[in-house]
């Protein structure tokens, strides 16, 4: 679908939320606001709550940068598992495409952290400085003791929310209990302090000052979302055929005979918009799909005694009077691919080896030992990714008469890595070529199913 995205000069509209180059959003109650609060509450609970959970004797979700390990509940991921992290990002990106094709920018409007934190900051603004009209009045008023006090309260609240956000974020990388205790006793390290300060400032600036500018100018998703929409995507739309021509009228008046549509031109949809646009101008890149304008307009329609839905979720096809098609080949295709990706990822997680073996061969070619056998040296790097200590056995195969000179058993602790120097020797007459393939077998004693074979080379001379 070629989406026409008309861009309007908002400042020409005297009722726009954007006054003095600042958006003064009117708060509004309604069904979609409740959904947004639910989405935000879920994100908040997950974000602020998860960091305090424990699993065994450590933090349940913890990215240990010094040990290069990522713990998530009972699982530990290592740098070798980075491919799984990439897979998660790809699945999330694809899930976002799927959601966009289905229902436009629902992610942006309901659960994107930028939106959620902006709504919270707006709430703090309302609590300290009042609703839209009071804030506009306050902005225009000269600085007085009262204005200064309100401003101080607002920025203090913003900074407290930012600080809590930053401490929580840093707490995913440094133990949260230790971090909070060190912050309270002023014993926190310089690095942790820097990151707490950095993320406090980032949250304060993003949600307090930049707000919709992040969505409009910094987020790439808003730029390419229009290319993902099709005629059947659900987007928030003003029904111009029903609403136009717009104009004020008395409640109960026979407005149709005056040539008016259902839009009473009250501007409520504009005043509640966090990006300061007028949805009646058509689908716009600035629309983050928050549905605040639906709540506002539905309430106006209720008061006027008209049916709701002048602004609603609908598709371009449905707006033209044709059927609303949610299930369609493109959606099914996306759903199948998404399911396949998720299933593959789940299988990769479940079947990922808990014991890994890296083999480093000594750079020297070979030597003869006291028995006259040809000997090669290796360093075996054994990594135990499981949550239990593992005893292991090592074996070698590939050439007749192989002999492992070092201890063939050992133990590696949970989540630990050991480096084991070993020598392998073979009678010279057994070698069929100067370079042979050597197999190292590693098997857990506690869990014999946990076993693997890795190859290396054995070098020598042929007699
Ligand atoms: S809220 Fe509804 S009635 Fe009021 S201006 Fe917007 S579209 Fe028209
Ligand atoms: S136009 Fe409506 S849905 Fe879009 S950002 Fe503004 S209020 Fe939200």
């Amino acid at each position: 679908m070629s989406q026409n995205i008309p861009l309007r000069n908002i400042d020409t509209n005297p009722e726009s939320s954007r006054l003095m180059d600042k958006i003064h959003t009117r708060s509004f109650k309604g069904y979609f606001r409740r959904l947004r609060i639910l989405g935000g509450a879920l994100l908040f609970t997950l974000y602020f709550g998860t960091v305090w959970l424990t699993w065994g004797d450590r933090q349940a979700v913890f990215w240990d940068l010094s040990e290069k390990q990522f713990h998530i509940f009972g699982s530990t991921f290592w740098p070798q598992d980075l491919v799984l992290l990439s897979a998660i990002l790809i699945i999330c990106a694809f899930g976002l495409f799927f959601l966009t094709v289905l229902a436009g920018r629902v992610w942006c409007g309901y659960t994107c952290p930028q939106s959620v934190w902006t709504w919270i900051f707006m709430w703090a603004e309302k609590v300290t400085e009042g609703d839209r009209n009071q804030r506009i009045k306050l902005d225009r008023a000269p600085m007085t003791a009262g204005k200064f006090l309100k401003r101080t309260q607002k920025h203090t609240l913003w900074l407290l929310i930012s600080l809590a956000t930053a401490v929580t974020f840093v707490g995913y990388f440094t133990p949260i209990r230790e971090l909070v205790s060190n912050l309270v006793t002023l014993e926190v390290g310089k690095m942790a302090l820097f990151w707490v300060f950095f993320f406090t400032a980032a949250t304060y600036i993003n949600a307090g000052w930049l707000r919709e500018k992040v969505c409009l100018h910094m987020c790439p998703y808003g730029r390419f979302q229009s290319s993902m929409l099709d005629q059947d995507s659900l987007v928030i739309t003003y029904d111009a055929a029903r609403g136009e021509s717009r104009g004020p009228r008395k409640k109960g008046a026979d407005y149709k005979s005056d040539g008016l549509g259902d839009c009473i031109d009250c501007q409520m949809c504009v005043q509640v918009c966090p990006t300061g646009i007028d949805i009646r101008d058509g689908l716009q890149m600035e629309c983050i799909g928050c549905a605040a304008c639906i709540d506002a307009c539905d309430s106006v329609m209720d008061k006027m005694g008209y049916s709701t839905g002048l602004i609603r979720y609908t598709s371009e096809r449905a707006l033209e009077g044709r059927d609303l098609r949610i299930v369609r080949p493109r959606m099914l295709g996306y759903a199948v691919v998404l399911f396949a990706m998720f299933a593959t990822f789940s299988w990769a997680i479940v079947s990922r080896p808990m014991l890994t073996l890296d083999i480093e061969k000594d750079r020297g070619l070979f030597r003869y030992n006291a028995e006259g056998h040809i000997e090669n040296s290796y360093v075996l790097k054994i990594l135990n990714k499981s949550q239990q200590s593992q005893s292991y056995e090592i074996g070698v195969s590939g050439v007749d008469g192989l002999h492992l000179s070092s201890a063939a058993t050992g133990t590696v602790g949970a989540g630990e890595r050991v480096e084991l120097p070993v020598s392998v020797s073979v009678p010279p007459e057994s070698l069929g070529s100067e370079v042979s393939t050597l197999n190292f077998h590693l098997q857990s004693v506690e869990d014999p199913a946990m076993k693997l074979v890795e190859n290396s080379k054995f070098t020598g001379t042929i007699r």
Side-chain angles (χ1 to χ4, degrees), residues 389-409:
S389 177
Q390 300 286 344
S391 305
Y392 59 82
E393 285 174 349
I394 300 170
V396 280
S397 69
V399 181
D400 287 342
L402 278 173
H403 175 70
L404 190 64
S405 57
S406 318
T409 56

Side-chain angles (χ1 to χ4, degrees), residues 170-216:
V170 176
Y172 283 102
F173 298 88
T174 190
I176 185 82
R177 287 170 177 78
E178 211 176 288
L179 176 67
V180 171
S181 148
N182 288 345
L183 279 169
V184 171
T185 55
L186 303 179
E187 288 169 357
V188 68
K190 279 185 192 151
M191 191 53 90
L193 192 63
F194 167 79
W195 287 115
V196 168
F197 178 78
F198 177 85
F199 287 114
T200 301
T203 310
Y204 174 76
I205 292 169
N206 273 340
W209 295 92
L210 294 179
R211 295 191 176 177
E212 81 288 348
K213 292 178 189 71
V214 174
C215 313
L216 304 188

Side-chain angles (χ1 to χ4, degrees), residues 238 263-269 280 297 300-301 310-311:
Y238 165 70
C263 174
I264 66 168
D265 206 15
C266 63
Q267 304 284 336
M268 291 303 260
C269 52
R280 295 173 300 170
C297 191
V300 173
M301 292 294 108
L310 178 57
I311 300 174

Side-chain angles (χ1 to χ4, degrees), residues 204-433:
Y204 174 76
I205 292 169
N206 273 340
W209 295 92
L210 294 179
R211 295 191 176 177
E212 81 288 348
K213 292 178 189 71
V214 174
C215 313
L216 304 188
H217 308 297
M218 293 159 78
C219 175
Y221 173 54
R223 298 268 147 195
F224 63 75
Q225 56 130 355
S226 59
S227 62
M228 288 185 268
L229 300 175
D230 62 27
Q231 282 197 324
D232 296 295
S233 299
L234 284 175
V235 284
I236 294 168
T237 317
Y238 165 70
D239 187 345
R242 180 185 149 190
E244 299 297 314
S245 54
R246 63 187 81 162
R249 80 288 310 263
K250 284 203 170 73
K251 187 177 175 184
D254 179 15
Y255 61 98
K256 298 234 162 127
S257 60
D258 293 335
L260 291 174
D262 282 355
C263 174
I264 66 168
D265 206 15
C266 63
Q267 304 284 336
M268 291 303 260
C269 52
V270 184
Q271 292 178 16
V272 297
C273 180
T275 62
I277 60 170
D278 188 338
I279 189 69
R280 295 173 300 170
D281 291 344
L283 183 64
Q284 293 153 80
M285 205 160 52
E286 291 90 342
C287 175
I288 58 166
C290 68
C293 51
I294 300 185
D295 281 339
C297 191
D298 278 354
S299 146
V300 173
M301 292 294 108
D302 276 341
K303 279 189 192 131
M304 294 302 290
Y306 305 162
S307 56
T308 56
L310 178 57
I311 300 174
R312 62 182 183 275
Y313 276 105
T314 189
S315 70
E316 193 176 277
R317 183 190 293 275
L319 213 54
E320 289 166 358
R322 292 184 283 161
D323 289 342
L324 184 67
R325 292 195 315 167
I326 303 289
V327 180
R328 50 197 194 272
R330 191 179 176 190
M331 290 308 307
L332 288 176
Y334 273 127
V336 168
V337 174
L338 198 56
F339 178 77
M341 285 168 100
F342 191 73
T344 310
F345 175 74
S346 305
W347 176 83
I349 288 280
V350 172
S351 61
R352 100 195 145 101
M354 289 289 115
L355 208 55
T356 67
L357 173 64
D358 286 326
I359 304 164
E360 204 175 277
K361 187 176 182 313
D362 188 77
R363 287 211 182 134
L365 276 176
F366 62 90
R367 62 183 167 274
Y368 288 96
N369 64 14
E371 292 152 352
H373 292 178
I374 296 175
E375 192 173 81
N376 282 201
S377 297
Y378 306 84
V379 175
L380 305 184
K381 296 176 179 174
I382 303 169
L383 173 61
N384 174 13
K385 294 183 184 175
S386 75
Q387 303 299 312
Q388 296 84 33
S389 177
Q390 300 286 344
S391 305
Y392 59 82
E393 285 174 349
I394 300 170
V396 280
S397 69
V399 181
D400 287 342
L402 278 173
H403 175 70
L404 190 64
S405 57
S406 318
T409 56
T411 303
V412 54
E416 284 185 358
R417 190 166 110 135
V418 294
E419 294 196 0
L420 186 69
V422 296
S423 296
V424 178
S425 58
V426 67
E429 57 275 16
S430 296
L431 282 181
S433 65

